[in-house]
Amino acid sequence: MSQEGLALVVTVTLGIALAAAQQPTAGIYTADQASAGRAVYQANCASCHLPDLAGRNEAPQLAGANFMSTWRSRSTRDLFEFIQATMPPNAPSLGAEQYAAVTAFILQANGAAAGTQAFTATTAAPIGTVAIGAAAGAGARQAQTTTADDPTPPAAGRGGRGGPPGGGNLPRGGAPTNAGPLGLTVTGQVKNYTPVTDEMLRNQDPGDWLMVRRNYQGWSHSPLTQITRDNVKELQLAWVWGMNEGQTNEPTPLVHNGVVYLTNTMNVVQALDAKTGDLIWENHVGPNAAIGISAMRNMAIYQDKVFVATTDARLVALDARTGKPVWDTPLADRAKGYANTAGPIVIKGVVVNGLVGCDRYGNDGCWISGYDAASGKPLWKFQTVARGTQPGAETWGKLADNLRVGGETWIAGSYDPDLDLTYWGVAQAKPWMRASRGTTNFDNALYTSSTVALRPKDGTLAWHYQHAPGESLDLDEVFERVLVDVGDQKVVFTIGKAGILWKIDRRNGQYIGHKETIFQNVFDSIDPKTGTPTYRADILEQKTGQWVQSCPSTEGGHNWQAMSYVPSAGTLVIPLSQSCMEMSGRKIEFTNGSGGTAADRRFFEMPGTDGNVGKLAAFDVKTMKEVWSHEQRTPFLTGVMTTDSGVGFVGDLDRVFRAFDVRTGETLWQTRLGTAVMGYPVTFTVGGRQYVAVTTGAQGGGSPRVVPRTIIPEVKMPATGNALYVFALPERGR
């Protein structure tokens, strides 16, 4: 049976039936409820928790021993109320009957027997007395039980239009969709296309935006000057393009010679006329399914191809002129849980890409890999999780290789053409807390929570610097690397969830300095010579099932929303967030297929902030001192983009897109868009006119969306509204 395009038509498995037969307590839900709950689950929950209930990243397993170890002693009412209060995390709440049905479905997947009494919001029985816990894979088989008549969610609209009805597809690892056919759905050709050369990537035309964060150094900065501090207040909407709905929308539009190349959710890629917003071509690369958060944060362009990393862990090259597929290469085995959110960068003909979904025991590890741009042939692979006899393997202590997981690279790296090194951030080890994953305070777990400098020709390691050895609270350091020359120093700057701005020598990985940009209480101290942090004693002494308080939270002092370097001011402008949490690690099975993040969280406001979660601040690259800051109730949900005219742009959760003075942070212009402003703003020119583009995202976004939903409940978002907005100054004389 193929991975896409077929409905799964199976029956309830014998394993579940036998498990149900062993129940000591009469059924507390009906079979019809569980069947309805399965449909609700597939439509609203499976994109994160997966159709087989196996869980992924922040979404825990919902069937089996790990679920039972967390919920056995709690009541069915507790489960219902928890689901009702927290799920779906970034979408409108479901009805009470739907929540009851989903609860029944989860109980069934864990071996609870159906009965004649319907489950209600007040049904309260200890889960351990009604569910025996499904055997490994039993919950998965039950979750995939469906028929051709099962309901599916509404059709996912193609960009700017409604999509045609499909066949109720259920691709492996995704939620069902009706998103229509795969492949080219709109045909056309980009006129007068100019191939993108290595020289063009190193020294871009000022009017283009050819890569993530615009240049190899990761500045998120443009040399354009037409829009100034004085005239920015005249900005007006030039055009808007409706984008694919249904999941997290965080793209970086690429612009070349007046054409916008745009990634959408569900692996849809489009080429648009940058002046008018007219569609040139569209390719549903596939799968048409929500996998995890389904964000497609960037793609790359080189020679006559655009390169897309799909959410099911493939790397695809499309003809930039027509959108036709050129080659399609797997990054990893999707069946083992792998996925993707960040796209590639191209370095001298090598397409370099990261990987996510590395959190399940028994997988093949995690890696950054390089591919030939012309053919898609794999060239090299750098393992971010050291196993066996690999260098750094000893830093995982006595943990068996199959239990060494995590180390994702879900933000694209940067590159120094002079040193010929590419710099990538590596996420934390999994599960999140040491007590859950079985490592000690002496196990640093390389190369997690590190910067790695690789040689792009062969992927060999030049150096590494570990910012948070043995990181233990999901405060990872995976985000953008920004390359700046500060006097004679060649520096790589980065900032992670702990909110610490790191200054590292990019030639050799030596620590230079750091700056705490927000309040943090995770580290008691940071060595001024080496940068090595010392954790609080209670973090080191953690045990499963015990709450540990920390600031910041997993929302991160800084997250995927990239900072910008302003060369004229010598400052980094950084979007920051201010929230705190308590985390409790779960006890999990050390068996293949287990793993994940394995922790519960409770969020609260950061002390001393007056409830202001959002902070935008500028820091001097020489002194690391804060130059200015702006705080507000809602967090910033885009990267920062700045220009040579001294104007910067950023968007926030409350639908506000604003221009600000890079010298002072003063707001110069703002407008309110259809939903949360989310993604990476860019600027470009067509026919001598400067445009500014930004996307909105109605759903998803991980902790940067989940945390505000908890501590800023008054901010409401529409359920739809994914779009690309393009602004420009008025055309004079017309």
Side-chain angles (χ1 to χ4, degrees):
M1 184 174 290
S2 64
Q3 183 173 342
E4 291 103 14
L6 295 178
L8 295 176
V9 186
V10 294
T11 57
V12 176
T13 64
L14 179 62
I16 289 293
L18 291 175
Q22 300 174 29
Q23 295 313 304
T25 302
I28 59 172
Y29 68 89
T30 67
D32 286 345
Q33 268 189 313
S35 178
R38 180 176 63 246
V40 174
Y41 176 89
Q42 295 293 353
N44 298 278
C45 314
S47 65
C48 291
H49 293 275
L50 300 187
D52 60 2
L53 287 79
R56 178 186 168 275
N57 199 21
E58 296 184 23
Q61 292 175 315
L62 297 179
N66 289 337
F67 173 85
M68 291 300 295
S69 68
T70 301
W71 287 95
R72 180 176 286 106
S73 61
R74 302 175 69 179
S75 76
T76 55
R77 181 174 179 176
D78 290 337
L79 179 62
F80 169 86
E81 291 178 346
F82 180 80
I83 297 171
Q84 185 181 49
T86 60
M87 296 290 125
N90 298 295
S93 297
L94 306 175
E97 291 184 0
Q98 291 175 297
Y99 282 116
V102 167
T103 305
F105 170 61
I106 293 173
L107 291 173
Q108 182 189 60
N110 284 279
T116 58
Q117 183 70 35
F119 184 89
T120 70
T122 59
T123 303
I127 290 176
T129 67
V130 297
I132 62 171
R141 292 189 294 272
Q142 172 64 14
Q144 292 179 349
T145 300
T146 184
T147 71
D149 296 324
D150 274 349
T152 55
R158 298 188 312 186
R161 299 170 304 287
N169 298 340
L170 183 54
R172 181 173 54 192
T177 72
N178 280 333
L182 297 175
L184 277 170
T185 55
V186 175
T187 58
Q189 183 156 341
V190 173
K191 298 178 181 179
N192 302 316
Y193 181 82
T194 302
V196 176
T197 64
D198 293 303
E199 177 58 27
M200 291 167 65
L201 290 177
R202 287 194 298 269
N203 299 288
Q204 291 188 40
D205 183 292
D208 279 353
W209 194 287
L210 297 181
M211 67 180 72
V212 60
R213 303 188 296 275
R214 192 176 185 277
N215 64 356
Y216 275 136
Q217 292 76 21
W219 288 3
S220 300
H221 178 86
S222 169
L224 297 180
T225 58
Q226 188 179 104
I227 299 171
T228 68
R229 298 184 186 94
D230 295 327
N231 64 24
V232 67
K233 60 181 177 292
E234 300 177 39
L235 277 182
Q236 58 186 222
L237 186 65
W239 54 269
V240 62
W241 175 258
M243 298 180 66
N244 204 48
E245 298 284 359
Q247 281 290 297
T248 305
N249 198 41
E250 302 169 3
T252 302
L254 300 186
V255 188
H256 178 47
N257 279 359
V259 176
V260 174
Y261 294 94
L262 185 65
T263 57
N264 289 248
T265 63
M266 312 286 190
N267 304 289
V268 176
V269 183
Q270 297 161 331
L272 306 168
D273 185 304
K275 182 177 181 179
T276 65
D278 293 331
L279 181 65
I280 301 172
W281 58 254
E282 175 180 273
N283 192 319
H284 288 232
V285 178
N288 282 336
I291 298 176
I293 66 169
S294 283
M296 299 176 68
R297 293 192 174 94
N298 70 281
M299 53 184 170
I301 186 168
Y302 180 68
Q303 296 295 348
D304 57 353
K305 302 177 184 67
V306 290
F307 303 92
V308 184
T310 65
T311 55
D312 66 338
R314 293 154 41 230
L315 188 61
V316 178
L318 304 177
D319 187 306
R321 295 181 179 89
T322 65
K324 294 180 180 179
V326 180
W327 52 256
D328 189 328
T329 299
L331 294 165
D333 184 353
R334 174 62 193 149
K336 296 183 179 180
Y338 293 109
N340 222 306
T341 57
I345 59 173
V346 181
I347 303 171
K348 294 191 291 188
V350 179
V351 187
V352 185
N353 208 91
L355 193 63
V356 301
C358 308
D359 56 337
R360 291 296 167 199
Y361 292 155
N363 64 23
D364 299 324
C366 204
W367 55 83
I368 304 164
S369 45
Y371 303 83
D372 179 77
S375 66
K377 176 184 177 182
L379 299 176
W380 54 260
K381 181 186 292 186
F382 173 78
Q383 297 283 349
T384 60
V385 173
R387 293 176 168 180
T389 60
Q390 297 168 356
E394 71 284 354
T395 64
W396 287 80
K398 297 181 180 179
L399 208 61
D401 281 354
N402 67 313
L403 305 180
R404 301 181 181 194
V405 296
E408 289 90 348
T409 46
W410 50 276
I411 297 292
S414 303
Y415 173 62
D416 185 331
D418 296 327
L419 297 176
D420 197 25
L421 294 176
T422 182
Y423 305 88
W424 291 70
V426 182
Q428 75 286 74
K430 303 292 193 312
W432 282 338
M433 301 192 78
R434 300 182 198 183
S436 296
R437 66 177 178 255
T439 53
T440 73
N441 295 331
F442 302 100
D443 299 332
N444 294 342
L446 287 176
Y447 294 92
T448 62
S449 294
S450 298
T451 296
V452 293
L454 307 178
R455 300 176 182 92
K457 182 178 180 180
D458 57 14
T460 54
L461 180 69
W463 57 260
H464 78 276
Y465 180 85
Q466 192 167 40
H467 304 273
E471 197 285 313
S472 196
L473 294 167
D474 185 30
L475 300 179
D476 56 307
E477 302 282 342
V478 73
F479 309 107
E480 73 275 13
R481 267 56 186 167
V482 178
L483 314 183
V484 178
D485 290 346
V486 183
D488 294 333
Q489 292 179 328
K490 290 186 176 296
V491 175
V492 52
F493 286 100
T494 190
I495 179 172
K497 286 189 180 181
I500 297 170
L501 178 63
W502 299 97
K503 188 177 188 179
I504 307 297
D505 190 319
R506 69 176 185 268
R507 295 169 297 188
N508 52 29
Q510 294 298 306
Y511 166 84
I512 297 174
H514 73 277
K515 171 68 175 180
E516 297 184 22
T517 63
I518 59 168
F519 172 70
Q520 70 85 17
N521 61 9
V522 175
F523 305 125
D524 280 340
S525 63
I526 297 177
D527 190 297
K529 293 183 179 180
T530 65
T532 302
T534 300
Y535 288 87
R536 267 186 9 232
D538 61 319
I539 295 176
L540 296 175
E541 296 165 1
Q542 65 185 250
K543 297 179 180 179
T544 56
Q546 294 184 357
W547 291 96
V548 176
Q549 182 272 333
S550 66
C551 297
S553 76
T554 56
E555 179 185 22
H558 182 68
N559 208 294
W560 58 264
Q561 307 96 300
M563 60 180 147
S564 177
Y565 172 59
V566 185
S568 62
T571 56
L572 298 166
V573 183
I574 309 175
L576 303 163
S577 296
Q578 302 177 127
S579 61
C580 300
M581 69 175 179
E582 290 182 313
M583 180 178 284
S584 174
R586 305 188 194 108
K587 184 178 180 180
I588 63 171
E589 282 193 315
F590 292 108
T591 58
N592 289 346
S594 183
T597 55
D600 298 306
R601 296 167 293 169
R602 301 190 293 224
F603 304 107
F604 53 93
E605 293 180 356
M606 182 175 284
T609 63
D610 294 325
N612 289 318
V613 177
K615 179 178 179 179
L616 185 69
F619 297 87
D620 188 284
V621 296
K622 292 181 180 179
T623 65
M624 306 282 279
K625 292 182 179 179
E626 185 179 287
V627 178
W628 56 259
S629 70
H630 166 80
E631 295 188 17
Q632 61 180 44
R633 178 69 168 150
T634 53
F636 297 97
L637 280 184
T638 72
V640 175
M641 186 270 289
T642 61
T643 67
D644 266 0
S645 58
V647 180
F649 294 87
V650 70
D652 67 30
L653 174 67
D654 202 26
R655 303 188 283 129
V656 175
F657 184 51
R658 74 187 72 227
F660 62 91
D661 190 323
V662 300
R663 301 170 303 179
T664 65
E666 174 191 1
T667 297
L668 302 172
W669 165 89
Q670 67 180 44
T671 187
R672 212 160 188 215
L673 305 182
T675 190
V677 193
M678 194 158 70
Y680 298 86
V682 304
T683 186
F684 56 89
T685 59
V686 182
R689 189 184 188 196
Q690 184 180 352
Y691 296 82
V692 174
V694 70
T695 53
T696 52
Q699 300 181 26
S703 290
R705 288 294 295 267
V706 172
V707 177
R709 185 174 185 261
T710 302
I711 64 178
I712 316 176
E714 71 273 18
V715 178
K716 307 298 183 183
M717 290 295 112
T720 59
N722 290 2
L724 173 67
Y725 290 82
V726 180
F727 300 89
L729 296 173
E731 290 189 278
R732 304 302 182 187
R734 295 187 181 181

